[in-house]
Amino acid sequence: MTTSLTVLRDRNAGLYLTAVVVSGFGTSSLWLASGVWVKDLTGSDGLAALCMLAMWAPALAGPALGTLADRFPRKPLLITLDLGLAALLPTLFAVGSPGRLWLLFAVLLVYGAAGVVHDAAESALVTAAVGPDLRGDFNGLRMTVAEGMKLVAPLTGAGLYTAFGGPAVACLDAVSFVLAAGVCALLRVREERPVRCGAGWWRETAEGVRHLWGHPGLRPLVGAGGTTMLLTALSATTVYAVVDRLGHSPAYTGVLYAAQGAGSVAAGLLAGPALRRLGGRRFAAAGIALTGAAVAARAVPWDPAALASAAAGGLGLPCVLIAALTAVQRETPGPLLGRATATANTLMLTPNVLGLAVGAGLVEVAGPGLLLPLYGLALLGTAALLPQRDDSAARTAARSPSDANPA
């Protein structure tokens, strides 16, 4: 049976995860420090929040940006993106006054766009670098290390910012990208040079969208992922109201986020075996149902219930994302994989923005005691409606090395 240890023993998988750890550490550090930087320079909560929007906004153009990942060899593209961001970040040394903040926002916007292309190219290259029998475990471990960085890196970034200022954090992030490029260069992969079909940018983009949305196995998973992210974003806006009902200061949210992060780390470790045993859709449905139960339980004004629900939500939420990503890698021809991955990420992750915006308004007119059970029931309904019949074929594919990528 494939285990996490087996994945780590695979040379390419181990190098990939190392690159994720290194670059993720720098990204998570900058993510927090940029908002604090803007807040210190302007005193504006709204402008500070725009930092996150600047990094997320390019995901809306994911299908078009993902086309780049199918037009160039993926390994050189990843190295170029890493080195390009490393060269771009030192320009933030010029941000020393409110009048220069446009430069910070411009860099964050480019950073977000490069991240969309990077994620698409990385997912596509995984199919060449990591065997099909390891991909479920690999995607789970990737989630584990990414969530683990979110537990450690923001504190490091905040400390570095406090001691030396924003440019020091930008320098740390630049170094992390240089190291990630070096690790990526060590990967041993054979890639066929992409063939231009001559159809034009928008037609190529549409091909990836049509493949994803027209595939009877991928559409339900991606749709369930987007719905889950929307509902969990709605529930996330109640966190300060929940903490207030518990009688704690706002800083207690850090404890809940830590519990959630620990659950997400565990989800990544368990994902591979669970995918093989349950298949993609049942694994996703189980995770969504657990998330729904956790969201509803968060309405109980009791500390143990709040901590347990945070951990359970962290355990359940990644399941549908891991299941969908693994299915996209398995069911998509190699020449389309960058576009299909970027489209899937757009459909699953951008509902966060809508959920946070709508939820912020709803929590002002109704308390968490009413909203959270409703969100939880909607998540349970999403799990129930997800078709269960993938799945004997998917279970076989998840453990069979003979499942060659169509490319």
Side-chain angles (χ1 to χ4, degrees):
M1 176 181 289
T2 304
T3 65
S4 298
L5 186 59
T6 306
V7 175
L8 294 175
R9 287 173 177 166
D10 181 87
R11 183 180 185 277
N12 278 338
L15 287 171
Y16 245 119
L17 292 173
T18 301
V20 170
V21 169
V22 172
S23 62
F25 187 88
T27 297
S28 295
S29 299
L30 184 67
W31 164 69
L32 177 64
S34 61
V36 178
W37 198 352
V38 172
K39 174 71 173 177
D40 281 349
L41 287 176
T42 67
S44 170
D45 292 327
L47 286 175
L50 282 179
C51 292
M52 180 56 67
L53 179 61
M55 295 182 74
W56 270 96
L60 296 172
L65 290 172
T67 302
L68 283 172
D70 292 331
R71 285 191 163 201
F72 301 95
R74 278 74 180 251
K75 178 180 170 180
L77 178 59
L78 287 172
I79 295 172
T80 300
L81 288 170
D82 285 338
L83 294 178
L85 287 172
L88 177 67
L89 284 163
T91 62
L92 295 182
F93 278 70
V95 179
S97 65
R100 294 288 185 90
L101 278 180
W102 66 269
L103 181 59
L104 174 60
F105 288 118
V107 168
L108 292 178
L109 195 64
V110 174
Y111 197 113
V116 172
V117 180
H118 194 286
D119 286 348
E122 183 181 77
S123 178
L125 189 58
V126 163
T127 62
V130 179
D133 54 325
L134 296 180
R135 285 179 204 152
D137 297 84
F138 173 84
N139 289 328
L141 281 176
R142 187 186 186 285
M143 179 71 71
T144 292
V145 298
E147 292 300 319
M149 286 303 97
K150 291 177 184 177
L151 295 177
V152 178
L155 295 176
T156 304
L160 190 63
Y161 175 85
T162 301
F164 302 105
V169 183
C171 186
L172 169 68
D173 199 13
V175 170
S176 76
F177 277 117
V178 172
L179 294 176
V183 173
C184 187
L186 297 175
L187 290 170
R188 296 173 181 168
V189 293
R190 289 184 178 180
E191 292 188 86
E192 294 184 6
R193 188 171 185 84
V195 178
R196 300 283 182 88
C197 66
W201 189 285
W202 294 112
R203 288 188 179 182
E204 290 182 41
T205 299
E207 286 177 8
V209 175
R210 281 198 301 269
H211 167 76
L212 183 74
W213 205 244
H215 194 292
L218 299 179
R219 185 176 63 249
L221 273 174
V222 172
T227 303
T228 300
M229 296 303 291
L230 171 65
L231 291 167
T232 52
L234 287 168
S235 70
T237 61
T238 67
V239 63
Y240 291 105
V242 167
V243 168
D244 188 55
R245 292 178 78 202
L246 293 172
H248 296 293
S249 70
Y252 189 73
T253 56
V255 177
L256 298 182
Y257 282 133
Q260 180 178 330
S264 295
V265 169
L269 294 173
L270 297 172
L275 273 171
R276 284 190 295 275
R277 180 174 294 274
L278 299 175
R281 295 192 197 176
R282 290 177 184 170
F283 174 60
I288 296 169
L290 178 59
T291 305
V295 167
R298 201 177 303 161
V300 178
W302 186 40
D303 280 305
L307 290 168
S309 65
L315 179 62
L317 178 59
C319 297
V320 66
L321 303 179
I322 294 171
L325 175 60
T326 304
V328 169
Q329 290 171 340
R330 186 181 65 240
E331 302 292 341
T332 303
L336 286 175
L337 194 47
R339 286 163 279 177
T341 299
T343 302
N345 286 338
T346 295
L347 293 173
M348 289 193 294
L349 299 181
T350 53
N352 272 307
V353 179
L354 177 61
L356 291 171
V358 174
L362 290 176
V363 77
E364 293 293 332
V365 298
L370 173 63
L371 293 175
L372 288 172
L374 292 177
Y375 299 151
L377 285 173
L379 283 163
L380 291 172
T382 302
L385 292 173
L386 182 62
Q388 299 297 297
R389 190 175 61 83
D390 10 40
D391 251 350
S392 60
R395 284 195 294 272
T396 301
R399 53 163 117 64
S400 174
S402 63
D403 179 27
N405 185 279

